[in-house]
Amino acid sequence: MKRGILSYLCCLVPLVLFQACDNTIEPLVESESTNFALHGYLDMRTDQQIVRLEGLRPNILSEPVSLEGVEVSTIDHTDGTVVIWRDSIITLDNGTLGTAFVANFRPDLGHEYSFNVGRNGVTEGRATTRVPAPPVVLPATPVGESENMKQHLVLIGLKDQPTKVHMLYEVSPPNETERQVISVAYGDPGFLSNAGWELEISLGIDRFIILNALGLDSVTQDIRLHNVEMRATLFSEEWQTQGSEFNLENAHGFFGSIGVFDGGWDIDSSAVRKLGFIDNQQRN
Amino acid sequence: MNRKIKSCIGTTPTVILKLHSTVLRIGLILCFLLSFAAVTQAQTSSIRGFVTDVSDGQPMPGVNVILTNAEGELFGAAADTDGFYVISRVPGGSYQLKASFIGFKDFEQAVVMVAGEIQSLNIELVVDDTTLGELVVEGARETAGVANITAGLQTIRPADISLVPSPDISADLVNYLTALPGVVSQGDRGGQLFIRGGEPTQNMVLLDGMQIFQPFHIVGFFSAFPSDIINTADVYAGGYGSKFGGRLSSVIDITARTGNKRRFVGAATLAPFVSTLRLEGPLIPGKVSFMASIRESVIEQGAAKLIDEELPFAFGDVFAKIHANLGKSAQLSISGIRTDDQGQLGLDPLLATGDDYIADEVQWESYAIGSRLLFLPSSLPVFAEVLVNYSDLKNQFGPPLDPTQTTNATYFSFASNVTHSIGTTNFTWGLFLSSSKLDSNLGGLFQNVDLKIEYITEVGAYIEPEFNPTEGLSIQPGLRLQTFPSKSETFFEPRFRLVWNTGIHRFSTAAGIYHQEITGLNDRRNAGDIFTAWTAAPSTVIPEAKHLIAGYRIAPTDWLTFSAEGFYKDLDNLVVPEWTAYPRFTTNIQPADGSAKGFDLRLELGSSDNFQATVSWGRSEVIYESTARALQLLTGDDVVEYNPPHDRKDQLNVMTSMKVKGFNFNVRWQMGTGLPFNESLGFDRWIMLDSLVNVAEVPGEERVLYGRPYTGRLPTYHRLDVSLDREFRVGPTTFLTFQTGVINAYDRRNLFYLDLFTLRRVDQLPLIPTFGLKLEFK
């Protein structure tokens, strides 16, 4: 027992002395591989994708970490397509330089992508995103008369507020065969519910906007309505939980995606007539 | 047993009735006590008064006053901090009264006690020339001792403070406090003390009853209280009684000396850090005295030149007190204090270019003024005091001449405390009223806090009887009622203290529930930022603490004392900064719960002026728990536990004091294990992607990426301080003291803080030789 206590003290005393003499600080969390910061998103609205990338610096005054030899690629896990990205030095708004990686492709709705950063064929940092799947549109019967006519929509499956919502009306002016698409901007309308995303389409007001766009007066009756569609920009899940970085491995910042949803539906013929259009929709 | 009534105003009549009935009940109890005291007094008699030193009129706490009759029956009491004593429930008859104290001649007088009467007898003790050496007046007023701790309470006297080596020839209370286990200081700058797990804003510091918001100077060797002005300091590291409230962690209750009522005396000192001047004397001899003390730092002219290092700190304080004896049964004192500090602690890396750093400057100015009336009603065995105080703090932080954060707190209070002495039982009760105005501009420091000017009124009452059923046993249950009409908050806070002295042993315990309505907000992620914004706690999350302390002390001989004490503090609704992925220059505040637990061991050797040594070891752990969303996202845990930046696991203090041929030689060695700090993952330029931002254009903001909170530990802190002084008589009442010493004798590079942005370490003071000179007229 006594020997045990002595042994313990013999170990403890040098340990305490060593600790007392040690005056070093390790301010950085140790990591075996480079930690990257990436900021960007895959964008269905364009054929060119851009993501900013930098290596984490040990302090604020450090020079940017060299990204020489860094390889970036994306893999489309839905169809297996691999795209290699190329680096590009960009001049930012404040005149400083940054490094962006660029690739030419357009992501697809509902596809899952991984964004891989590494060196010598070894992936060191990874980010994943799934471009939102197209929602199912559930239109209600239009209600109201003339300029007050509205239609309630539910976009089933959406978990986040879409943005840049537009209604696209394909119409032919009186006595013309050529079709025109009139776009009516809705901004960021509606609200999220348990069912998905819900909003009201103001069909009556939209008609006046269409007439105005075609240069017609408000009593014009013989416009043919061929097609009704909605276009909305959809955000991936990552946009809802900024700061969580749940989709990043050995990486920090933000990586997400946005999809562009185009979806149409038929408006009831009697409602089209009440609006003052001639119904020329191709019924499914 | 804690009851909290919400919405007592403007809500249900039932709740209002309950509150009223509670107040009524307390009133009835007080009436009962008064009538009981009067009835009891009719059958017996009491004697009471103040004990003072005849040489200067100073009150003498701790003097034993004993009545003895012909049958050998003994009745006695000890004088309190004010020198007040009372012996009650004494049967009528003839007695011999004797008052005794080490270093003074016994005072003896025959008294006749008449049933139903209360006598007043003030006692003046004379220094005993036979025991008095040339210069031992201070020593005769004895030390309280490091190991003399009772259920969290430690009484400190100037003689204790003088045992600690200090860079100033006039010792300072803070140097003694930082030598106590369980007291963690931020270092030799910053002026922040953490007591048994509590944060600086959770400590209540009172000087003659005045609340001092910022009691410590920016240089960690100095408080606003030089030992020359202190009579006693009661430090409650927890478990304090019902008289105190409004803070979660601790109370430091300081009583200043009264000025000399017989003659004019004073002192002037010169040292590398600070110069002081103290004057005191009678305004009306024997009745009214004054004392004034002024200190001003001379760091740039002194210490900075000694070590050839920039020390951008300046501070000063002024204290004054007038004390008057209003007849035999009343005393009035008026005290005032003003402190000012400024200095550069932090770094602003974004303004830094190369090595030319521009440091933020912290500045604060506080003042307080208060009055205290003590009186003894002629017909009741009652000791009463009435206190009226006003305190003010202005604090600012940011680039010099352009502060980004400011706070202004003012506090007015009225309190009355009454003690009924009925035999061996003391019933203490009191009423209090306070009003605070809090006004802060945080400059966006906390993203989710937008402070407005707030007015907070507090009204309350407390009762705290002290029962002494057998010799050596003291039981003090207590109850404090605090209500905040403007916030519709009411708290009942039960308290309890028990002390049992049996032979050489002392057992003690204390417990209580505490709330803090007015809290201080700090961004503790950065040690260089000591700015504190005072604000009212959110209504639904008032910080709360529950304390439990248990201790044991043994004094087998006159020269050996050992004590052990354990403590546990349960903390709820603390307000702490949170970690987010957003840039580090701003943050949110969030609620957190936590606990502080640990124990202290203290050993004290020697009791004479010739040799004293103390060794103390404190071990503790402070844990905060947070369920803040940002931390959950960062760590992936539902509840995130971490050790806050003041969690010092182990502290070891060794002090010795020797007197050889008139030379006082003091040594102190301190060691504390490293404090937690936030480790960094690295830096990036963060782009806020809350919309469809073009990442090829937006530059982004500099950001530090933190790991889990406070996973790193700074290196161990240790330091050796040595001082040597000698007093010489240069005239009949004039003395000159020389002091020399070394602070940080083996030049340990102790870290003050590490700036994560630049990885630049800011160290505490290196080896500093000190020299001091004191000229004193006694």
Side-chain angles (χ1 to χ4, degrees):
Chain A
M1 179 70 180
K2 277 185 182 173
R3 184 171 290 178
I5 293 170
L6 278 174
S7 308
Y8 174 74
L9 288 174
C10 287
C11 295
L12 184 68
V13 170
L15 196 67
V16 170
L17 287 175
F18 174 75
Q19 198 187 4
C21 293
D22 184 24
N23 204 0
T24 57
I25 314 164
E26 298 296 337
L28 296 175
V29 176
E30 285 184 18
S31 174
E32 289 180 356
S33 56
T34 308
N35 268 299
F36 292 100
L38 57 95
H39 290 88
Y41 49 90
L42 301 182
D43 190 347
M44 252 188 85
R45 299 170 305 167
T46 171
D47 288 326
Q48 188 180 59
Q49 309 302 317
I50 301 175
V51 171
R52 282 264 291 281
L53 188 73
E54 61 178 311
L56 294 188
R57 287 165 289 142
N59 75 63
I60 200 168
L61 301 175
S62 311
E63 292 296 317
V65 173
S66 170
L67 294 179
E68 196 177 332
V70 169
E71 300 151 357
V72 173
S73 64
T74 44
I75 301 172
D76 181 339
H77 291 281
T78 309
D79 63 17
T81 308
V82 177
V83 177
I84 306 297
W85 296 49
R86 62 186 185 280
D87 64 340
S88 171
I89 302 298
I90 52 175
T91 302
L92 304 167
D93 281 351
N94 63 354
T96 60
L97 299 177
T99 302
F101 277 76
V102 181
N104 293 330
F105 73 99
R106 188 186 289 254
D108 293 317
L109 278 177
H111 285 213
E112 186 183 59
Y113 296 86
S114 66
F115 183 89
N116 306 296
V117 185
R119 283 188 172 95
N120 303 320
V122 178
T123 299
E124 295 182 27
R126 184 195 304 271
T128 54
T129 186
R130 180 182 288 278
V131 182
V136 176
V137 180
L138 193 66
T141 304
V143 294
E145 299 290 333
S146 186
E147 69 268 21
N148 294 322
M149 183 179 286
K150 290 182 178 176
Q151 186 172 28
H152 186 81
L153 295 182
V154 182
L155 273 64
I156 296 170
L158 283 191
K159 293 177 181 174
D160 198 4
Q161 169 89 39
T163 189
K164 297 184 185 298
V165 176
H166 287 79
M167 287 296 295
L168 305 175
Y169 295 92
E170 189 178 8
V171 294
S172 299
N175 307 319
E176 288 185 25
T177 54
E178 193 179 336
R179 297 181 178 189
Q180 294 186 35
V181 176
I182 307 297
S183 173
V184 180
Y186 269 68
D188 300 341
F191 59 92
L192 281 169
S193 69
N194 290 336
W197 178 59
E198 301 184 35
L199 81 163
E200 298 279 347
I201 301 299
S202 301
L203 295 172
I205 293 172
D206 289 356
R207 177 176 175 271
F208 283 105
I209 294 170
I210 292 166
L211 290 171
N212 190 45
L214 296 173
L216 300 172
D217 60 43
S218 60
V219 295
T220 305
Q221 293 288 316
D222 49 355
I223 299 169
R224 279 163 291 157
L225 177 67
H226 303 288
N227 195 23
V228 177
E229 247 185 35
M230 168 189 286
R231 173 165 293 170
T233 302
L234 309 178
F235 292 99
S236 63
E237 186 184 354
E238 295 80 24
W239 297 84
Q240 298 168 47
T241 52
Q242 292 223 18
S244 71
E245 300 186 347
F246 70 94
N247 62 327
L248 309 179
E249 292 172 41
N250 278 343
H252 303 275
F254 179 83
F255 182 69
S257 58
I258 60 168
V260 178
F261 166 66
D262 288 313
W265 65 96
D266 294 329
I267 300 176
D268 182 72
S269 283
S270 63
V272 173
R273 283 195 298 276
K274 282 181 187 174
L275 277 171
F277 289 129
I278 297 166
D279 185 9
N280 200 33
Q281 295 174 96
Q282 301 295 313
R283 309 274 170 194
N284 293 320
Chain B
M1 203 25 222
N2 174 49
R3 286 184 59 211
K4 178 176 156 186
I5 297 176
K6 299 274 292 178
S7 304
C8 62
I9 292 176
T11 55
T12 65
T14 313
V15 175
I16 296 169
L17 280 175
K18 276 183 184 172
L19 178 60
H20 283 182
S21 66
T22 307
V23 173
L24 193 63
R25 251 176 259 158
I26 290 175
L28 285 173
I29 292 169
L30 297 178
C31 290
F32 169 75
L33 288 175
L34 282 168
S35 54
F36 180 68
V39 169
T40 310
Q41 186 55 37
Q43 298 157 355
T44 57
S45 62
S46 299
I47 187 165
R48 65 194 181 176
F50 295 94
V51 185
T52 53
D53 180 345
V54 72
S55 67
D56 56 11
Q58 292 287 323
M60 294 189 62
V63 173
N64 289 314
V65 184
I66 294 168
L67 285 177
T68 315
N69 63 13
E71 288 76 39
E73 287 180 299
L74 291 176
F75 301 87
D80 70 6
T81 306
D82 297 301
F84 174 73
Y85 76 94
V86 59
I87 307 171
S88 56
R89 291 192 75 187
V90 181
S94 297
Y95 292 84
Q96 189 70 15
L97 181 143
K98 180 177 175 182
S100 55
F101 195 70
I102 185 170
F104 289 79
K105 288 178 181 171
D106 290 347
F107 173 93
E108 293 196 54
Q109 185 172 317
V111 292
V112 177
M113 305 294 287
V114 180
E117 283 192 3
I118 300 170
Q119 289 194 51
S120 290
L121 178 65
N122 290 342
I123 298 168
E124 291 183 324
L125 294 185
V126 179
V127 174
D128 186 353
D129 292 331
T130 59
T131 61
L132 192 63
E134 186 185 8
L135 300 169
V136 292
V137 175
E138 290 299 324
R141 285 191 182 159
E142 76 175 7
T143 57
V146 168
N148 194 9
I149 184 165
T150 306
L153 168 62
Q154 176 133 30
T155 295
I156 301 167
R157 298 193 175 140
D160 293 299
I161 301 170
S162 67
L163 301 179
V164 185
S166 156
D168 178 30
I169 190 165
S170 291
D172 192 287
L173 175 64
V174 74
N175 290 313
Y176 191 82
L177 292 177
T178 54
L180 298 176
V183 178
V184 173
S185 104
Q186 209 176 22
D188 55 22
R189 63 195 76 178
Q192 307 272 292
L193 287 190
F194 302 82
I195 299 180
R196 281 192 176 167
E199 304 215 3
T201 56
Q202 295 164 0
N203 303 326
M204 172 174 277
V205 180
L206 302 169
L207 174 62
D208 283 346
M210 302 178 288
Q211 189 168 141
I212 311 296
F213 281 100
Q214 182 58 289
F216 304 107
H217 283 304
I218 192 164
V219 175
F221 299 120
F222 301 95
S223 67
F225 323 108
S227 73
D228 276 359
I229 69 164
I230 292 175
N231 180 20
T232 59
D234 287 337
V235 179
Y236 295 87
Y240 38 93
S242 302
K243 185 178 175 183
F244 304 107
R247 290 290 185 274
L248 287 191
S249 178
S250 71
V251 172
I252 301 174
D253 185 19
I254 300 160
T255 307
R257 285 197 307 112
T258 60
N260 195 312
K261 288 194 173 63
R262 306 292 177 201
R263 60 188 182 280
F264 289 95
V265 297
T269 69
L270 192 62
F273 279 86
V274 71
S275 287
T276 69
L277 182 65
R278 173 174 55 83
L279 280 175
E280 57 185 286
L283 293 174
I284 301 174
K287 288 187 177 174
V288 182
S289 68
F290 79 95
M291 179 173 67
S293 160
I294 181 167
R295 291 196 301 179
E296 202 59 48
S297 65
V298 290
I299 296 170
E300 285 187 23
Q301 299 82 5
K305 286 192 164 59
L306 275 175
I307 59 172
D308 195 23
E309 188 178 301
E310 198 176 340
L311 295 174
F313 311 112
F315 63 88
D317 54 60
V318 180
F319 173 78
K321 181 173 184 174
I322 293 174
H323 183 267
N325 291 331
L326 309 176
K328 270 188 173 180
S329 305
Q331 295 183 355
L332 174 69
S333 64
I334 297 171
S335 307
I337 187 168
R338 179 184 177 279
T339 71
D340 63 276
D341 291 75
Q342 68 178 70
Q344 295 175 339
L345 296 166
L347 303 166
D348 188 339
L350 290 188
L351 295 176
T353 52
D355 289 331
D356 300 328
Y357 295 103
I358 297 173
D360 286 332
E361 183 174 271
V362 66
Q363 193 173 356
W364 66 82
E365 181 182 341
S366 71
Y367 68 87
I369 186 162
S371 68
R372 182 167 179 250
L373 174 68
L374 305 182
F375 64 98
L376 313 173
S378 58
S379 58
L380 287 172
V382 163
F383 173 83
E385 66 174 348
V386 177
L387 299 109
V388 181
N389 295 300
Y390 178 81
S391 306
D392 180 279
L393 170 73
K394 290 182 180 67
N395 185 191
Q396 61 185 43
F397 182 75
L401 305 177
D402 187 22
T404 51
Q405 299 156 29
T406 62
T407 190
N408 186 10
T410 59
Y411 179 79
F412 168 81
S413 70
F414 167 87
S416 64
N417 302 305
V418 180
T419 301
H420 300 251
S421 296
I422 304 169
T424 56
T425 302
N426 293 321
F427 285 92
T428 302
W429 59 275
L431 303 169
F432 51 89
L433 163 74
S434 71
S435 175
S436 307
K437 180 188 172 192
L438 309 167
D439 179 12
S440 294
N441 172 16
L442 296 176
L445 175 64
F446 301 110
Q447 294 168 4
N448 58 345
V449 178
D450 182 20
L451 296 181
K452 301 179 180 122
I453 297 179
E454 294 173 286
Y455 296 89
I456 296 158
T457 303
E458 180 190 21
V459 184
Y462 74 91
I463 182 164
E464 192 168 59
E466 181 187 1
F467 302 102
N468 299 282
T470 62
E471 191 179 335
L473 180 63
S474 162
I475 303 169
Q476 264 183 293
L479 182 66
R480 184 180 176 90
L481 167 72
Q482 297 180 146
T483 182
F484 299 88
S486 57
K487 307 279 287 183
S488 299
E489 298 276 0
T490 298
F491 302 106
F492 285 94
E493 298 180 341
R495 312 281 171 84
F496 181 77
R497 286 181 74 80
L498 182 147
V499 181
W500 182 34
N501 289 297
T502 171
I504 58 173
H505 310 280
R506 177 187 293 170
F507 300 88
S508 60
T509 186
I513 295 179
Y514 309 88
H515 294 89
Q516 185 162 342
E517 177 71 25
I518 298 172
T519 61
L521 302 180
N522 301 97
D523 184 4
R524 290 250 166 267
R525 298 169 309 156
N526 178 3
D529 181 353
I530 58 167
F531 174 80
T532 300
W534 291 92
T535 183
S539 295
T540 51
V541 282
I542 306 297
E544 181 186 273
K546 301 179 191 78
H547 295 186
L548 178 64
I549 297 173
Y552 169 71
R553 173 179 171 266
I554 183 170
T557 68
D558 287 346
W559 52 269
L560 176 66
T561 308
F562 170 78
S563 69
E565 192 167 283
F567 66 93
Y568 180 80
K569 292 179 180 177
D570 182 60
L571 308 164
D572 294 315
N573 299 329
L574 303 175
V575 180
V576 298
E578 76 172 12
W579 288 257
T580 68
Y582 293 89
R584 159 267 203 199
F585 298 103
T586 59
T587 182
N588 288 336
I589 60 164
Q590 64 189 14
D593 295 335
S595 65
K597 55 181 181 289
F599 61 86
D600 305 337
L601 302 178
R602 306 166 191 229
L603 179 70
E604 193 170 346
L605 297 166
S607 61
S608 69
D609 282 347
N610 294 328
F611 177 75
Q612 287 191 49
T614 61
V615 181
S616 62
W617 172 43
R619 180 163 184 81
S620 67
E621 182 174 35
V622 188
I623 297 173
Y624 284 0
E625 294 174 355
S626 175
T627 53
R629 180 71 183 144
L631 274 182
Q632 290 173 334
L633 289 173
L634 180 70
T635 61
D637 298 341
D638 291 336
V639 179
V640 182
E641 281 193 2
Y642 63 93
N643 301 118
H646 58 280
D647 175 46
R648 176 155 276 162
K649 300 282 186 202
D650 292 284
Q651 267 183 287
L652 186 63
N653 281 287
V654 181
M655 285 196 299
T656 64
S657 175
M658 282 180 283
K659 188 165 192 175
V660 181
K661 294 185 177 177
F663 285 91
N664 294 309
F665 182 56
N666 298 328
V667 179
R668 172 174 69 166
W669 184 71
Q670 291 178 288
M671 197 275 279
T673 49
L675 296 170
F677 76 100
N678 270 319
E679 287 178 303
S680 154
L681 298 167
F683 291 80
D684 71 351
R685 276 194 287 182
W686 178 76
I687 300 171
M688 187 167 183
L689 281 158
D690 58 348
S691 60
L692 300 175
V693 170
N694 185 349
V695 296
E697 295 174 352
V698 176
E701 292 184 63
E702 293 290 354
R703 171 176 73 157
V704 60
L705 283 151
Y706 291 118
R708 291 181 71 94
Y710 296 110
T711 48
R713 286 270 170 186
L714 298 176
T716 300
Y717 164 88
H718 51 92
R719 198 179 79 192
L720 178 71
D721 301 333
V722 179
S723 74
L724 181 73
D725 63 78
R726 173 80 158 90
E727 187 179 63
F728 298 93
R729 182 174 226 145
V730 293
T733 57
T734 307
F735 299 84
L736 191 62
T737 305
F738 291 99
Q739 185 215 40
T740 184
V742 184
I743 299 298
N744 194 4
Y746 52 81
D747 201 17
R748 164 75 176 178
R749 278 188 75 202
N750 286 309
L751 187 83
F752 173 55
Y753 86 104
L754 177 77
D755 184 79
L756 276 181
F757 271 60
T758 59
L759 299 188
R760 180 172 180 249
R761 60 182 284 165
V762 177
D763 285 328
Q764 299 188 37
L765 293 175
L767 181 150
I768 300 185
T770 64
F771 310 95
L773 192 63
K774 182 178 187 178
L775 183 65
E776 190 169 14
F777 304 95
K778 292 185 180 177

